[in-house]
Amino acid sequence: MMQNVHLAPKADEDDLYSGYNDYNPTFDTEDLENDTAFQQAVRTSHGRRPPMTAKIPGTSASRPLATGFGVSFSSDGVARPLTAVHAAGYTKAALRGSVFDPLGQARGPAPPLEMKNEDTYVKKKVNELVEESCIANSCGDLKLALEKAKDAGRKERVLVRQREQIASPENINLDLTYSVLFNLASQYSANEMYAEALNTYQVIVKNKMFSNGGRLKVNMANIYLKQRNYSKAIKFYRMALDQIPNVHKEMRIKIMQNIGVAFIKTGQYTDGISSFEHIMSTSPNLKAGFNLILCYFAIGDREQMKKAFQKLITVPLEIDYDDKYISPNDDPHTNLLIEAIKNDQLRQMERERKGMAEKYIMTAAKLIAPAIETSFAIGYDWCVEVVKASHYVELANDLEINKAITYLRQKDFYQAVETLKMFEKKDSRVKSAAATNLSFLYYLENELAQAANYADLAVNSDRYNPSALTNKGNTVFANGDYEKAAEFYKEALRNDSSCTEALYNIGLTYKKLNRIDEALDCFLKLQAILRNSAQVLYQIASLYEIMEDPNQAIEWLMQLISVVPTDSHALSKLGELYDNEGDKSQAFQYYYESYRYFPSNIEVIEWLGAYYIDTQFCEKAIQYFERAALIQPTQVKWQLMVASCYRRSGNYQKALDTYKEIHRKFPENVECLRFLVRLCTDMGLKEVQEYVTKLKRVEKLKEIREQRVKSGRDGSARSRREGSGSGDSGGSAKGERLSAKLRALPGTNEPYESSGNKEIDASYVDPLGPQTERPKTAARKRMDEDEFADEELGEDLLPE
């Protein structure tokens, strides 16, 4: 307030504010109301101070007012605080005629206060950038996270330079600098910019002002491990281990485990064993136990493998195995609570930990079983006995099933079946798994009755087993009952929506039922799950071809060959589609690629040969027909095509020699004799009469055979009208001969199979059995001998 400000200027104008050290100057306050300069100061000081209307009580010329830093004296001489530090608007320069400046604007801004506000703003901005960088990293936008981290680093360096100018280096915020550098190094590492990350970590580690910076050598070691620089990784892990106190037991164990992994990577199994043995003796865990088994397996120590497996089995999981998720009574409140926690995050974490433990144990058992004993069966038996004596009793049955699968992979089907049959009297879950595998085995052997029986057993033991339902649907599919098979596949999908085998099989079922749109929906859903499945891509292309949409079929086949670029069937299918569209150049490209990867496909060879003939390059067609003749030496048409190519290219002597060779192998072939007669006539050779005689004899024999066949047909028709059994026998014999002829020719119903090898999976069964018609890979009609003869016997074949 204005009334608390006591002014006491001296008479001496050169030392106006000496009152900071002298409290005895005299000043008359009686005429303050009439003092123009004082009243002007009152009016201009902040513009809101009221004028003085009365004298200050208790003051006189004999009682001076003292001016000091925050102190004034009352009339009785007692000190009291002041509300203003300096006299408002008065300076020594003011008495010399300078401008009155009560706000101090002429002296400029107050640097310390404004710098402090700027520091606060920049610090806040740096923290925000660090947080945004971390959020971008968690969202997967690594590039944005790195940009934010770099921006935070730039602003933090500006802030440090400003503080160094106005304050001592001890006042620099080390925590902010540490967080900015650590985040920048982390983002460099996430973006695989390992050199920059190492340099940034090195700045932190070398700075002694960061007390815990040495621990970041673990991060540097991790980067060296990613770069496969295992020697430096081990070095930095050990340096970090030296700087971490013993109270941080868990961190030290993890570092030692990383050191052991690095030793395994370098093949130093003995050193790795030392690290893992120390961990298993102080703080055992599943990863260390499994890695210890790997080391002993690498050096071939059977006894130590057994001991390490026993240590792995005894590692506690720290999971409550009580039936806490089963209600002990019918209390609604208890049931509601159990339903709430039955699938919460804690329950999911317990399942993950238990599943990981079972995976380590099963993998270790499958690894050491063939190595610890004379045979893998004895080794499996030893592992099963050890598991039965632990708290992983349920895994014993799974090991037995794995034993059967191992027999299966060794092609020992009898032992596999015998092992699985042992589970027929076990509990429902194990029985269902064993019956599922038995159904799969019998289905592979095409014993559909046994496959159906064990599929029924698997379904009855566990109605919610999707693999059992899929196998049951497969057996029904093989019997031709597609509607019922679709119901089993749908039930399998209801129990497990991720059962891709059931989804694939139901797509094939809809395809058989000619429900093309539904089949396409199934395969498109499956393609969203299995992006690079060659079988799924082929089925989608096949369905678009059935829907008469060749452009879509070509597009999906292009995706297929991007997955399996060496698949000859897919390439030939593309050639066929382009050929149907009239694009001969593209068709030739894909047919040629198919021939290059699989030069024994008769359809491709035939198309390429015909293409070269159409383009008047008969010499190039010869090599393809010669290869076809090598593949099918009993088919005379390929050799006739070779001779025809020689003849069309003008090489009549070579054509004559080829026809003679054909006549030697097939003396009753009429077409060959006709061409021999014409060539010999045109070339003026003497043996023309010989070939004419042979041609007449062969034609006569052919007529006699045709008459016999015709009379046999009439007799068969008459017998059928009379109801005799001989006609049926004749019809059956004819059907058998026709089937034999079709089997002798290369069929067009050849199934698509990808080039990759498919691992045997007991839960996957392709319902397309050996007796089922599969998607066609080509629709090009082959020329039979009669068509070839009509084409070759034209009047314009020989030059005039």
Side-chain angles (χ1 to χ4, degrees), residues 342-358:
K342 185 176 291 184
N343 199 31
D344 61 354
Q345 293 184 353
L346 181 61
R347 176 61 171 166
Q348 293 175 4
M349 185 185 71
E350 290 179 349
R351 288 174 179 169
E352 289 177 1
R353 293 181 64 180
K354 186 176 180 182
M356 185 61 67
E358 293 177 353

Side-chain angles (χ1 to χ4, degrees), residues 136-148:
N137 182 281
S138 64
C139 295
D141 194 347
L142 302 180
K143 186 177 180 180
L144 178 62
L146 180 59
E147 292 299 326
K148 295 288 185 181

Side-chain angles (χ1 to χ4, degrees), residues 651-699:
N651 194 345
Y652 299 115
Q653 184 60 45
K654 189 66 176 176
L656 180 62
D657 295 339
T658 306
Y659 280 125
K660 288 181 178 180
E661 183 65 23
I662 296 171
H663 176 65
R664 187 180 64 81
K665 294 179 180 179
F666 305 94
E668 295 184 358
N669 187 271
V670 178
E671 290 78 12
C672 180
L673 288 171
R674 288 175 180 172
F675 283 117
L676 281 172
V677 170
R678 295 194 63 176
L679 279 174
C680 290
T681 302
D682 294 338
M683 296 174 68
L685 299 179
K686 296 180 179 179
E687 57 261 40
V688 61
Q689 190 61 39
E690 177 185 355
Y691 291 124
V692 169
T693 304
K694 291 181 178 180
L695 176 60
K696 291 181 179 180
R697 185 174 66 253
V698 170
E699 286 178 344

